Amino acid sequence: KFNKRFFSLHGTTDVTLLGKEYLLQKPHMVSVQTTWRVTLPDDTILFSFQKGECKTRKDGGCDAEWKIFHGRTHQKQLLYYGIQRTSTFKFYKSEADYEHNPLQDWRAEVRKLLPSKKEPASLKVTVMPTEDAGLILLAAHVIDSLEDLVRDQGTSDTEDQ
């Protein structure tokens, strides 16, 4: 459950996952890099999401990339590397995993859907066993709110290889 606070200096959203309370907040309203934090209500920082530079494709296009860190970003404890694909946004354990085998080494994917009677949800999230589904859901919320998810065009991610 996501509840955005209207009068917040940090763009704070109250989040409840499996009965636990968290805050999703942007620590600096003006910053060189887009960063969001997942904290406990007492401001203990659990995770940080940071938007990276645009990754240039072979066709000259640009793919959004995000990194998920344990704790603060400067601690450099990377948990997931996320990158926009042709029809999904995929998360890998590292950028090296993405570079090595982008078709098989992904750990989670987010697909933006056109809502319909058959599929009322606007996002479809797939998370591999043993991965942190709650963390991926929080990241998907941030990435979607900043419009870095491409709408599923019915294409395959193999087309951007």
Side-chain angles (χ1 to χ4, degrees), residues 55-156:
K55 186 152 186 105
T56 306
R57 295 188 305 257
K58 293 175 188 172
D59 67 3
C62 176
D63 292 330
E65 56 179 12
W66 283 79
K67 293 179 180 177
I68 301 175
F69 296 93
H70 184 265
R72 293 176 180 263
T73 57
H74 74 269
Q75 294 171 304
K76 304 224 184 277
Q77 294 180 13
L78 183 70
L79 296 175
Y80 295 102
Y81 168 79
I83 187 160
Q84 175 187 331
R85 307 285 291 167
T86 305
S87 62
T88 64
F89 197 96
K90 288 203 169 140
F91 291 93
Y92 301 82
K93 283 294 192 181
S94 67
E95 189 172 358
D97 284 352
Y98 163 71
E99 298 288 346
H100 178 258
N101 194 347
L103 299 179
Q104 293 185 353
D105 286 346
W106 59 274
R107 308 312 304 145
E109 79 172 3
V110 180
R111 187 175 297 272
K112 188 170 184 111
L113 306 171
L114 287 171
S116 67
K117 288 182 182 177
K118 182 180 177 185
E119 198 67 60
S122 61
L123 297 179
K124 181 178 181 183
V125 180
T126 305
V127 180
M128 294 297 194
T130 73
E131 302 301 335
D132 191 333
L135 185 58
I136 297 297
L137 287 171
L138 291 171
H141 173 75
V142 169
I143 294 166
D144 184 46
S145 70
L146 294 174
E147 300 179 3
D148 276 348
L149 292 179
V150 293
R151 192 167 303 281
D152 184 359
Q153 302 296 319
T155 58
S156 168

